[in-house]
Amino acid sequence: MAKLVVLQPTKQPPISLLSSSLSHFNGTKLSQIQYKRKVCQPKGALHVVAASSTKKILIMGGTRFIGVFLSRLLVKEGHQVTLFTRGKAPVTQQLPGESDSDYSDFKLSAEGYDVVYDINGREAVEVEPILDALPNLEQFIYCSSAGVYLKSDILPHCEVDAVDPKSRHKGKLNTESLLKTRGVNWTSLRPVYIYGPLNYNPVEEWFFHRLKAGRPIPIPNSGVQITQLGHVKVSGTTAPLHMLVLGNEKASKQVFNISGEKYVTFDGLAKACAKAGGFPEPEIVHYNPKEFDFGKKKAFPFRDQHFFASVEKAKHVLGWKPEFNQVEGLADSYNLDFGRGTYRKEADFTTDDMILNKSFALQS
Amino acid sequence: MAALASSSSSSSLLFTTPPSKLPSPSSLCPFPRLSLPISSFLSSPLSISPSSLPYPTTSTRCFASFTVRAAAAADKKKVLIVNTNSGGHAVIGFYFAKELLGSGHEVTVMTVGDEGSDKMKKPPFNRLSEITSAGGKTLWGDPANVGNVVAGTSFDVVLDNNGKDLDTVRPVVDWAKSSGVKQLLFISSAGIYKPTDEPPHVEGDVVKADAGHVGVEKYIAEVFISWAIFRPQYMIGSGNNKDCEEWFFDRIVRNRPVPIPGSGMQLTNIAHVRDLSSMLTLAVEKPEAASSNIFNCVSDHAVTLDGMARLCAEAAGLPVEIVHYDPKAVGIDAKKAFPFRNMHFYAEPRAAKDILGWEGTTNLPEDLKERFEEYVKVGRDKKPMKFEIDDKILEALKVPVAV
């Protein structure tokens, strides 16, 4: 039976990844980053978490994007954080990836965790072993998805709305149901599109590549489709949302949408990216996607529909106030990532050229 | 079983059905807030225990609640509503008057113009007897002369639901101030928001500096201490003076295509007027909280233009054929052809929720069913109609129309 190895450093180390702690169980990559630091003063007057109670926190995932920021915040608050990656992303060195199905064989036996943040769980089977192994869990905080909402002519999506059992994200729904039936104290956060420095999903990066190359931005159909971006730092003028739910009774067994306060049209997003990166106003070209066969390539990073959710519940119930406005948030991403020459995916303008060459651009 | 409470503050039990996309049983169909005639109350406030109310049997996501508000004698207000005699906002004053009366306040409705004018034959003006029979007063006159029209009566609260520019509203504001009115409310418009790529319009967003309502808003804030401004969009509701959902029903029942400009993805906000009325009533009953605030007076959900067509068809139990067109290409003025703005026009009622604790009850799928029932009841589905602009659009698009 695999065990989670927990290392206690003898003195407070600088933030470093303990590569000797890497274990390899049935292909499961396990990386532990364990910090023990002095309890810091809580930030902000409305900080809800009792900083005096240091928690032992397990983050499922947490090695690429959301968790990278979250773990720093938790550590700053004085908690003990362990990261457990199921995924393919390299941590300290390249390791062969493992499939999610291997994980379900894995029995987690740990010295005990008070709280789990599950950032990357997709299917209910991935969560079951964790709940089995941690019967006294104080809170299971799950990163679900607003993709579970049933498509509707009436918007925004609110937490009470109908969900779609057939959606691409039904695994997230099944996980939420599992959490409910297991009686654990759960909180589910449903983001829309997440953005910010280190984004591995080419959301803003897709626009930045084209803006940098001085290329037109091809946007499907009318460009008035409304989407919504939530900055990864989820920081608020009060406290970051992921922190506000920690140990918070008001978050117990509740779902919260988490994203920006304002929504944005596709056309508007192209313009905001340009402003954020200091580029001139972009040339936007609309096209009818039905007139093209892009094969397996994605011609545009967003669902071609309205997709946005109200975050008023998190604001009212938890006192959260999102910090960044659209351009500020995109500028943060640009200045700390793409603008420095870093990005995750190489630019691929194949579909753009198909669109631009066929002069069937729709007038907006 | 009702229990009499002896507290001196008004008590209320909230009974609202939030918007739901699940089919609800007809027993949950939202109905206008129950207005009990004041005579049924004793002089002390009344509360109704929740255990006596039926609970819905659908999913736990929906909850139902019921508002019976009776104001304590100390909180009773004397309210004057200066009401427009036409247009989409006319119905606001009608519902607001009835809700205030139901809550035990004194209400006078001053409709602009003459009692004998033709405009008074249209709803809601042909139903003003519902106000008088509930104990309200109705008057007619020129807002520039409001002091004389109300013949020296004093009021605690004045709502101007009429003027769109400072010239029209200033006399009302000035008279209210000088006659000791404590709270001034104004129906402005969400149309003054500057169009944006980042919806929704929220209170505090930039407005069009040259809009008439903006001048009024500024003046009220300068002159009054306790004021609140309300910015509505579109509304549905029995007694509406201006067509809203009827535009869709007219075409759907006659098996005509519904021509919608642009992509049909434009979002708009269509509220049941009871939501606007409840927001105004909350402002009257919580004047300190409401003071110096702007409130988007809209429902808490947006709907696409195509979506509205679909919902109207579902409410009618009929199919719908939506046809999109480019007004410029066809050579028609979209404003004349279509009753909603050809763009995203989407405000959210965040201030009302944050500050007044207001909750929206608009449920378009359910509300439109009621609206369709009335549409048929008054025989509008059989009324002969011409669709000249529609025909021009469809001709240009070569879309066949069933004869």
Side-chain angles (χ1 to χ4, degrees):
Chain A
M1 183 166 73
K3 273 196 176 174
L4 198 69
V5 177
V6 173
L7 295 186
Q8 292 282 346
T10 48
K11 56 180 175 186
Q12 295 172 16
I15 296 170
S16 65
L17 302 171
L18 305 167
S19 53
S20 60
S21 70
L22 285 170
S23 312
H24 202 151
F25 304 95
N26 296 336
T28 305
K29 283 204 317 297
L30 176 65
S31 310
Q32 296 171 31
I33 305 168
Q34 182 138 12
Y35 310 97
K36 201 148 193 232
R37 289 174 50 170
K38 289 190 294 203
V39 175
C40 302
Q41 282 303 310
K43 224 172 32 161
L46 279 175
H47 198 68
V48 174
V49 175
S52 54
S53 60
T54 301
K55 306 251 183 232
K56 292 196 287 273
I57 299 179
L58 173 65
I59 301 184
M60 301 304 296
T63 57
R64 284 196 295 169
F65 190 34
I66 299 175
V68 170
F69 295 96
L70 174 59
S71 52
R72 279 158 180 72
L73 293 172
L74 291 168
V75 162
K76 217 167 153 195
E77 291 300 319
H79 301 294
Q80 285 181 45
V81 174
T82 300
L83 308 181
F84 186 126
T85 175
R86 304 180 174 96
K88 312 162 209 137
V91 181
T92 54
Q93 50 181 287
Q94 289 293 128
L95 285 176
E98 72 106 7
S99 68
D100 288 342
S101 60
D102 281 347
Y103 167 67
S104 57
D105 294 329
F106 180 76
K107 258 311 195 176
L108 176 62
S109 169
E111 74 171 17
Y113 290 91
D114 304 313
V115 174
V116 171
Y117 278 91
D118 188 348
I119 307 291
N120 64 2
R122 288 203 179 157
E123 302 293 340
V125 291
E126 296 165 8
V127 170
E128 263 173 334
I130 306 174
L131 298 176
D132 290 341
L134 300 172
N136 299 317
L137 202 55
E138 282 176 21
Q139 192 177 13
F140 191 105
I141 300 168
Y142 181 56
C143 188
S144 179
S145 167
V148 301
Y149 290 114
L150 184 64
K151 196 171 162 188
S152 176
D153 290 323
I154 298 176
L155 291 157
H157 293 302
C158 300
E159 289 83 352
V160 295
D161 286 357
V163 291
D164 181 3
K166 298 199 209 118
S167 92
R168 231 174 355 114
H169 300 275
K170 58 181 183 285
K172 300 275 191 186
L173 265 185
N174 295 337
T175 306
E176 288 183 354
S177 302
L178 173 75
L179 292 168
K180 284 177 201 161
T181 57
R182 289 291 295 256
V184 67
N185 176 25
W186 60 270
T187 300
S188 182
L189 302 177
R190 292 178 180 167
V192 181
Y193 290 104
I194 308 175
Y195 76 114
L198 298 186
N199 198 354
Y200 56 78
N201 188 15
V203 168
E204 67 271 48
E205 181 182 285
W206 187 91
F207 290 92
F208 290 147
H209 271 311
R210 282 144 186 83
L211 290 163
K212 175 134 190 252
R215 284 178 144 265
I217 316 265
I219 292 182
N221 290 315
S222 64
V224 304
Q225 302 90 317
I226 295 179
T227 188
Q228 184 187 19
L229 272 56
H231 199 282
V232 67
K233 290 178 188 170
V234 291
S235 46
T237 50
T238 51
L241 182 58
H242 285 80
M243 303 300 290
L244 281 174
V245 300
L246 179 63
N248 191 340
E249 265 174 23
K250 294 185 188 162
S252 172
K253 308 195 178 182
Q254 294 292 327
V255 175
F256 295 98
N257 293 331
I258 168 173
S259 196
E261 268 194 300
K262 288 268 192 147
Y263 323 125
V264 65
T265 63
F266 287 172
D267 282 1
L269 184 54
K271 294 179 202 164
C273 286
K275 277 208 182 105
F279 297 104
E281 182 145 342
E283 183 196 343
I284 294 172
V285 168
H286 293 127
Y287 64 96
N288 181 353
K290 293 195 189 135
E291 291 172 8
F292 297 88
D293 178 7
F294 298 123
K296 289 215 165 106
K297 286 190 186 278
K298 228 171 149 184
F300 191 69
F302 298 98
R303 296 165 172 72
D304 186 4
Q305 63 179 73
H306 289 315
F307 179 41
F308 56 95
S310 170
V311 298
E312 296 299 294
K313 181 179 172 183
K315 285 165 68 182
H316 283 138
V317 173
L318 304 171
W320 179 58
K321 183 107 175 73
E323 185 178 337
F324 288 115
N325 73 27
Q326 195 68 81
V327 172
E328 282 168 3
L330 289 166
D332 180 80
S333 180
Y334 186 81
N335 293 332
L336 295 175
D337 195 357
F338 193 93
R340 295 182 174 190
T342 54
Y343 48 83
R344 310 292 97 61
K345 278 203 173 135
E346 288 294 335
D348 179 356
F349 302 127
T350 317
T351 56
D352 297 51
D353 289 334
M354 286 170 68
I355 293 160
L356 298 169
N357 292 337
K358 189 178 195 183
S359 38
F360 274 121
L362 271 181
Q363 295 306 311
S364 57
Chain B
M1 156 173 87
L4 287 176
S6 56
S7 74
S8 59
S9 56
S10 49
S11 52
S12 68
L13 195 71
L14 199 60
F15 191 100
T16 53
T17 310
S20 161
K21 287 154 208 134
L22 300 174
S24 339
S26 53
S27 60
L28 269 193
C29 192
F31 48 89
R33 302 266 165 97
L34 189 74
S35 317
L36 298 176
I38 191 69
S39 56
S40 75
F41 289 91
L42 303 183
S43 55
S44 48
L46 179 81
S47 72
I48 293 183
S49 81
S51 57
S52 64
L53 295 173
Y55 274 89
T57 52
T58 51
S59 111
T60 50
R61 275 199 281 278
C62 299
F63 58 90
S65 52
F66 184 140
T67 306
V68 174
R69 260 190 252 104
D75 294 346
K76 238 168 66 157
K77 300 272 162 67
K78 297 206 286 230
V79 184
L80 171 67
I81 300 171
V82 176
N83 213 58
T84 176
N85 56 27
S86 68
H89 290 186
V91 69
I92 303 175
F94 182 60
Y95 273 71
F96 183 41
K98 293 189 7 169
E99 185 162 353
L100 287 171
L101 289 165
S103 298
H105 302 287
E106 273 181 42
V107 178
T108 299
V109 176
M110 177 186 134
T111 304
V112 173
D114 298 317
E115 189 174 357
S117 96
D118 276 345
K119 290 184 176 175
M120 295 301 107
K121 296 181 181 156
K122 290 182 69 181
F125 308 107
N126 54 6
R127 291 168 55 179
L128 288 180
S129 57
E130 292 173 35
I131 306 233
T132 46
S133 63
K137 247 173 110 171
T138 53
L139 303 167
W140 280 260
D142 182 351
N145 198 23
V146 56
N148 290 329
V149 177
V150 303
T153 319
S154 69
F155 295 95
D156 302 307
V157 183
V158 169
L159 168 69
D160 184 300
N161 180 31
N162 175 55
K164 297 179 189 173
D165 55 63
L166 194 47
D167 284 345
T168 316
V169 185
R170 198 202 318 255
V172 175
V173 175
D174 289 348
W175 161 79
K177 178 91 185 177
S178 66
S179 71
V181 168
K182 297 194 201 77
Q183 184 188 39
L184 183 52
L185 309 175
F186 175 58
I187 302 292
S188 177
S189 167
I192 62 176
Y193 284 112
K194 222 168 149 216
T196 175
D197 287 328
E198 293 179 26
H201 297 302
V202 302
E203 299 85 351
D205 282 357
V206 176
V207 294
K208 298 178 212 160
D210 56 351
H213 296 97
V214 171
V216 179
E217 291 185 358
K218 283 203 178 113
Y219 186 69
I220 290 172
E222 281 164 26
V223 169
F224 257 84
I225 296 175
S226 177
W227 58 266
I229 281 158
F230 298 85
R231 295 175 176 167
Q233 286 194 236
Y234 304 108
M235 59 214 90
I236 64 173
S238 180
N240 204 346
N241 187 265
K242 186 177 174 188
D243 278 356
C244 180
E245 69 281 16
E246 294 88 344
W247 187 91
F248 293 95
F249 290 153
D250 285 345
R251 285 145 183 82
I252 290 166
V253 299
R254 290 166 182 77
N255 202 21
R256 290 189 58 98
V258 176
I260 292 183
S263 64
M265 293 274 284
Q266 305 90 313
L267 282 165
T268 189
N269 192 318
I270 299 172
H272 192 288
V273 60
R274 65 171 182 267
D275 271 357
L276 283 76
S277 172
S278 69
M279 197 186 289
L280 291 164
T281 305
L282 273 175
V284 168
E285 295 182 346
K286 296 184 184 181
E288 289 85 28
S291 180
S292 309
N293 282 302
I294 293 170
F295 298 100
N296 287 338
C297 203
V298 295
S299 81
D300 58 8
H301 280 75
V303 65
T304 61
L305 298 180
D306 278 3
M308 185 61 181
R310 286 192 274 265
L311 290 173
C312 286
E314 274 165 33
L318 292 168
V320 63
E321 181 195 350
I322 296 170
V323 165
H324 295 126
Y325 66 97
D326 175 359
K328 280 192 211 130
V330 173
I332 54 116
D333 180 358
K335 285 197 201 117
K336 299 210 173 87
F338 189 66
F340 304 96
R341 288 180 189 211
N342 179 14
M343 57 194 292
H344 286 310
F345 179 31
Y346 167 25
E348 279 188 11
R350 294 186 187 176
K353 287 189 166 184
D354 290 346
I355 298 169
L356 298 175
W358 173 87
E359 283 178 24
T361 68
T362 298
N363 178 339
L364 283 180
E366 290 301 317
D367 292 336
L368 287 170
K369 282 199 194 117
E370 276 183 22
R371 300 306 311 129
F372 186 69
E373 277 165 22
E374 185 172 337
Y375 178 88
V376 169
K377 197 165 149 203
V378 302
R380 183 155 164 174
D381 56 333
K382 305 279 189 291
K383 196 173 154 191
M385 277 183 196
K386 284 211 166 122
F387 296 89
E388 282 164 5
I389 303 182
D390 282 37
D391 286 336
K392 188 171 174 202
I393 295 165
L394 298 168
E395 167 71 35
L397 299 173
K398 313 261 191 292
V399 174
V401 185
V403 176

